[in-house]
Amino acid sequence: MLLLNIDYVPGKEFDALGLVKGTVVQSKNFGKDFMAGMKTLVGGEIVGYTEMLVEARQIATKRMVDEAEALGADAVVNVRYGSSSVMQGAAEVITYGTAVRFK
């Protein structure tokens, strides 16, 4: 599945099939969350949260691709990501775009 964050595919004509999206709410375990809290005292990257968001983006992207494949899409254009804090230690990640089929 071709994923692009531009609204066209160079050299290809296509029909738009519709909006597709994937979402996940991801959290860290208590131990890692506690250690992340300690890290805020000294500064620096909170690796546990970075890993959590990377994993959440991968899951959300796969869910979007699965939805696009169910529509018979060849690609998803104009792909975007968003995230928000749902509660302490948990974040929602959403990815969305337009599923397209090449002519």
Side-chain angles (χ1 to χ4, degrees):
M1 177 70 57
L2 181 61
L3 303 176
L4 298 169
N5 68 347
I6 54 179
D7 59 0
Y8 62 95
V9 179
K12 298 278 190 179
E13 290 186 31
F14 57 78
D15 292 320
L17 302 175
L19 177 70
V20 289
K21 75 259 173 241
T23 187
V24 65
V25 175
Q26 191 87 353
S27 70
K28 290 309 286 177
N29 68 43
F30 176 75
K32 288 190 177 184
D33 195 41
F34 177 77
M35 293 309 294
M38 297 280 90
K39 183 70 170 181
T40 62
L41 297 174
V42 295
E45 180 181 7
I46 302 173
V47 176
Y49 282 104
T50 300
E51 292 169 352
M52 176 187 76
L53 288 171
V54 167
E55 182 181 354
R57 279 191 297 274
Q58 290 171 341
I59 292 167
T61 300
K62 180 174 182 343
R63 289 177 179 173
M64 178 189 68
V65 167
D66 290 347
E67 195 171 302
E69 287 175 342
L71 293 175
D74 298 308
V76 180
V77 297
N78 207 24
V79 173
R80 300 289 184 255
Y81 289 90
S83 65
S84 63
S85 177
V86 177
M87 56 185 271
Q88 185 174 356
E92 175 195 30
V93 173
I94 184 168
T95 185
Y96 56 95
T98 302
V100 299
R101 182 178 303 128
F102 298 142
K103 291 183 178 183

